[in-house]
Amino acid sequence: MRRTTALISAAVVAVAGGITGTVIWLSQPSYDDIVKDCAHALVAQSKAGGSGKPDACRDVKEDDYAALSMSQAINDLGWTDENGDFDENRMIEDTLNGTP
């Protein structure tokens, strides 16, 4: 009887630990969520006139952070249309007129 009780107790603890681990793992933000948060932080920082790497971007891969930063810089220069798409004509006009 004691051996059965011990095995049942061990099984219950193992299942509870597995469920807890799964719940914790599922509650973590995905990499896409982290990147989106970083992009929003860069926009907010730009509007506030700040600089540097926001804390929300600390877990973003360097290549992805560089792309997000460049995208924000292009937006800040006004070289994108109302949808955020690159507007080559606007960039060329600004370059020819000497206004970044």
Side-chain angles (χ1 to χ4, degrees):
M1 185 83 154
R2 290 184 111 176
R3 181 180 286 177
T4 304
T5 304
L7 289 175
I8 291 173
S9 297
V12 168
V13 169
V15 169
I19 291 171
T20 302
T22 302
V23 168
I24 290 171
W25 178 71
L26 289 173
S27 68
Q28 298 299 315
S30 69
Y31 185 70
D32 286 344
D33 292 335
I34 293 169
V35 170
K36 287 176 187 175
D37 290 344
C38 176
H40 292 298
L42 286 169
V43 170
Q45 176 177 283
S46 175
K47 287 181 181 178
S51 62
K53 188 174 187 176
D55 287 339
C57 299
R58 72 178 179 276
D59 293 330
V60 174
K61 297 175 188 172
E62 283 303 314
D63 288 347
D64 293 337
Y65 177 72
L68 289 170
S69 297
M70 184 60 69
S71 175
Q72 185 57 47
I74 289 171
N75 285 337
D76 289 346
L77 290 170
W79 293 350
T80 54
D81 63 15
E82 59 277 352
N83 297 321
D85 296 326
F86 181 67
D87 186 344
E88 185 176 357
N89 293 330
R90 189 178 295 173
M91 186 268 308
I92 291 170
E93 287 174 16
D94 286 351
T95 302
L96 293 175
N97 293 331
T99 56

